[in-house]
Amino acid sequence: MSQVRLPPIQTTARDDAVLAALAGFVQQEGLKPGDKLPTERILAERLKVSRNTVREALTRWEGLGLVERLQGSGTFLKAAVSPHMLHMPLTLAGGNDFASLMQTLEVRRALEAEAVALCAVRTGPQELSFIQRKLEVMEEAFHSRAGMSSEEDWEFHQAIYRASGNPLFEQLIAAMHEMFHRFWEHPLGVRDFGHASFPYHRTIYERIAARDAEGARAEALKLIATVEADLRRGEAARNQARHA
């Protein structure tokens, strides 16, 4: 019998096979977003791979916004998974320069406007109530701290993405969370960054509650416009300081 030389399995193929097996386990166990995954040791035993392989797979899922790993608490599923899903890692330019921040804002404008419009059409009573609670928490944080708070703001927008009925919105935004978070680090020296956007969070909610998709889209675009105005204000001040 002739010996057929088979090409070695590529690392990417092995990684994808492990991710598919892990997704199959999650599906078989009936785990849903919010549920806690078994420990790395148990997963390694069930999947018949090393703990290091499981750890690397979970790290990839974390980067894709599919799981959240909390120190001392474990790993929690954030989105539904299946063995046949595609993984789309994002490579984003870093930095707090004006050009990078504007590129990020352009992406957020497209995602945000469509997400709120879909949310207005598709959200149910429970999801709407959850968005309202997140809005009230955000408003309370704004008044108590005399300014916008990144975590409460993030949770409000996440609630809308989740209620849009398309899990890709939440996953894409989660994958870009670190990049969006830079807007709260006083970009370009603007200390009151984001304050002008505050009232539009409530008007977005009101349009969603009224099932007004185009109205919600319009309010989201107004919110993003205030963020762009803050960025341009900061860039103008920085250019003026350079030439002073």
Side-chain angles (χ1 to χ4, degrees):
M1 182 191 299
S2 62
Q3 291 185 341
V4 179
R5 297 177 63 86
L6 297 176
I9 298 176
Q10 299 298 315
T11 302
T12 302
R14 284 200 302 268
D15 290 346
D16 288 344
V18 172
L19 291 173
L22 182 57
F25 170 81
V26 168
Q27 195 172 58
Q28 181 180 346
E29 294 296 312
L31 299 177
K32 296 179 174 53
D35 289 346
K36 184 178 179 179
L37 270 63
T39 64
E40 291 178 1
R41 180 183 62 79
I42 293 175
L43 287 172
E45 290 174 355
R46 294 289 298 274
L47 299 177
K48 312 232 180 285
V49 296
S50 69
R51 290 180 64 176
N52 190 54
T53 298
V54 169
R55 192 174 301 118
E56 289 174 357
L58 292 176
T59 298
R60 281 190 65 185
W61 272 12
E62 186 177 30
L64 293 166
L66 299 177
V67 297
E68 183 177 18
R69 300 162 91 178
L70 302 176
Q71 188 172 4
S73 299
T75 302
F76 295 84
L77 195 65
K78 292 181 64 179
V81 297
S82 78
H84 307 294
M85 68 184 184
L86 298 175
H87 302 281
M88 299 184 300
L90 297 175
T91 302
L92 306 169
N96 273 341
D97 60 283
F98 179 71
S100 293
L101 291 168
M102 284 298 294
Q103 287 173 355
T104 305
L105 191 64
E106 288 168 0
V107 173
R108 183 180 171 185
R109 178 184 285 115
L111 292 173
E112 190 100 6
E114 188 63 20
V116 299
L118 289 173
C119 182
V121 173
R122 297 173 175 174
T123 189
Q126 288 185 335
E127 291 91 349
L128 186 62
S129 178
F130 185 71
I131 294 170
Q132 182 181 16
R133 289 200 302 273
K134 292 300 180 182
L135 171 66
E136 290 169 351
V137 169
M138 191 210 74
E139 289 178 334
E140 183 179 347
F142 179 87
H143 293 302
S144 64
R145 301 172 192 171
M148 293 296 288
S149 172
S150 62
E151 218 41 58
E152 286 80 7
D153 176 83
W154 176 252
E155 289 179 2
F156 168 75
H157 289 286
Q158 265 196 318
I160 290 175
Y161 300 138
R162 194 171 296 129
S164 71
N166 186 337
L168 286 176
F169 278 113
E170 187 179 4
Q171 291 178 39
L172 283 169
I173 293 296
M176 300 179 70
H177 174 264
E178 184 178 346
M179 198 166 191
F180 283 169
H181 188 72
R182 289 181 298 155
F183 283 94
W184 298 105
E185 298 170 349
H186 306 304
L188 307 179
V190 180
R191 303 299 299 181
D192 61 345
F193 188 88
H195 287 203
S197 72
F198 174 71
Y200 295 109
H201 292 78
R202 177 156 287 278
T203 57
I204 287 172
Y205 165 74
E206 289 172 348
R207 291 301 88 211
I208 290 174
R211 308 295 181 184
D212 179 3
E214 290 311 310
R217 188 195 305 275
E219 294 306 308
L221 291 174
K222 290 176 187 177
L223 185 153
I224 298 297
T226 67
V227 177
E228 180 175 350
D230 281 346
L231 285 179
R232 294 191 180 282
R233 177 162 56 95
E235 179 67 0
R238 193 161 68 170
N239 287 337
Q240 186 175 10
R242 282 199 200 104
H243 296 96

